[in-house]
Amino acid sequence: MSKNNTIKEMCREERPYEKCEQYGAENLTDAELLAVLLRTGTKGENSLQLAQKILHPDFIQDGILSIHQWSLEQLTGLKGIGKVKAIQILCLSELAKRLSKAEARKQLDFSAPETIARYYMEEMRHRNREVMKLLFLNTKSRFLGENDISVGTVNTTLVSPREIFLEALKKNAVSVILLHNHPSGDPTPSKDDILVTKRVLEAGEILGIDLLDHIIIGDNCFISLREKGFF
């Protein structure tokens, strides 16, 4: 394709919109799907070429998952991406996460760490900072709510048992689950992760609030510290 070709200059059966109409969205490439949403390109660069630039930026090589890594400032810094298109892309990213979460909710069981990890996976694994979530449960292990109790750096999150149990008491929770991500993609617990877990476990025993698990989210993988025998 020539750099200056517009979508209208392409053969009709190769144009993303018409291709979707004729063959179905499942037959479009990632770039073609994004091009349909972008609708227009810019001078010298059509919507399909612009979509390729978004899906394959220099700073990350994750293909379609790159959509989750863009910020509003980065997107509007691209030639051909104004605020409207940038917001559309950010909303597309958020919608994809919510669709994944809604599907995973059907199997969510707070006694099964794999279902918890699946439920939070898309929300957590794309973050570039460690975020600690606290999940609150009642006497029947029913979900009472969740809080982001700490946002850390690239490789650490700072949290104290005091913060955790203040929040748990506010919610009248009888048990809690800790959940945080590792931006590196490797869910192997650090020494600090193990230390925090033990401190929270001990404090919970005194207060009568059980720590059921501490789950670490990696890139499409996870570790349950309870399953690994850390407590």
Side-chain angles (χ1 to χ4, degrees):
M1 187 192 305
S2 167
K3 183 74 173 176
N4 295 318
N5 276 1
T6 65
I7 293 294
K8 289 182 179 179
E9 290 174 323
M10 296 171 63
C11 296
R12 181 176 175 82
E13 61 271 18
E14 293 180 355
R15 300 174 196 167
Y17 187 93
E18 285 79 2
K19 186 176 176 181
C20 180
E21 184 179 29
Q22 185 170 356
Y23 301 110
E26 67 275 13
N27 289 297
L28 271 62
T29 65
D30 295 343
E32 288 170 337
L33 287 168
L34 185 55
V36 170
L37 297 176
L38 292 173
R39 296 182 61 194
T40 59
T42 187
K43 186 176 181 181
E45 195 167 47
N46 63 38
S47 60
L48 193 54
Q49 292 162 334
L50 193 55
Q52 290 282 11
K53 187 187 295 184
I54 294 166
L55 293 175
H56 303 285
D58 294 334
F59 63 89
I60 191 166
Q61 302 297 322
D62 272 358
I64 194 169
L65 293 179
S66 300
I67 288 176
H68 295 305
Q69 303 299 325
W70 288 96
S71 67
L72 180 64
E73 293 74 19
Q74 288 172 322
L75 284 167
T76 53
L78 286 177
K79 183 182 178 183
I81 300 292
K83 188 178 287 186
V84 171
K85 278 189 171 69
I87 289 174
Q88 287 173 333
I89 293 166
L90 294 178
C91 288
L92 171 64
S93 169
E94 182 60 27
L95 184 61
K97 293 175 187 176
R98 294 189 189 189
L99 284 168
S100 176
K101 203 170 182 179
E103 183 64 29
R105 190 176 184 87
K106 298 174 185 177
Q107 287 82 39
L108 185 58
D109 177 355
F110 289 101
S111 66
E114 66 274 13
T115 71
I116 301 170
R118 191 181 307 122
Y119 181 70
Y120 287 99
M121 184 63 67
E122 289 307 305
E123 175 187 348
M124 301 286 285
R125 74 184 179 114
H126 303 293
R127 298 199 180 191
N128 55 16
R129 293 288 184 271
E130 283 198 11
V131 177
M132 179 76 78
K133 283 186 177 292
L134 183 61
L135 315 183
F136 308 102
L137 305 174
N138 68 11
T139 51
K140 296 182 179 179
S141 292
R142 289 180 179 168
F143 186 57
L144 296 174
E146 65 181 63
N147 275 1
D148 287 358
I149 57 171
S150 176
V151 178
T153 61
V154 173
N155 56 13
T156 186
T157 182
L158 304 174
V159 65
S160 72
R162 181 177 182 276
E163 295 172 84
I164 288 170
F165 290 109
L166 278 175
E167 293 299 324
L169 290 167
K170 288 178 187 176
K171 291 286 196 304
N172 293 318
V174 299
S175 57
V176 295
I177 295 172
L178 286 173
L179 181 90
H180 83 278
N181 63 308
H182 278 181
S184 67
D186 180 0
T188 303
S190 66
K191 290 181 180 178
D192 285 342
D193 292 335
I194 297 167
L195 179 61
V196 165
T197 302
K198 289 180 177 178
R199 290 175 61 199
V200 172
L201 183 66
E202 291 167 359
E205 288 173 350
I206 294 170
L207 293 170
I209 300 176
D210 295 330
L211 175 63
L212 299 182
D213 207 342
H214 184 175
I215 297 169
I216 303 174
I217 300 288
D219 187 8
N220 244 356
C221 53
F222 76 97
I223 280 179
S224 158
L225 269 66
R226 180 174 286 279
E227 283 190 338
K228 291 297 182 182
F230 286 101
F231 65 98

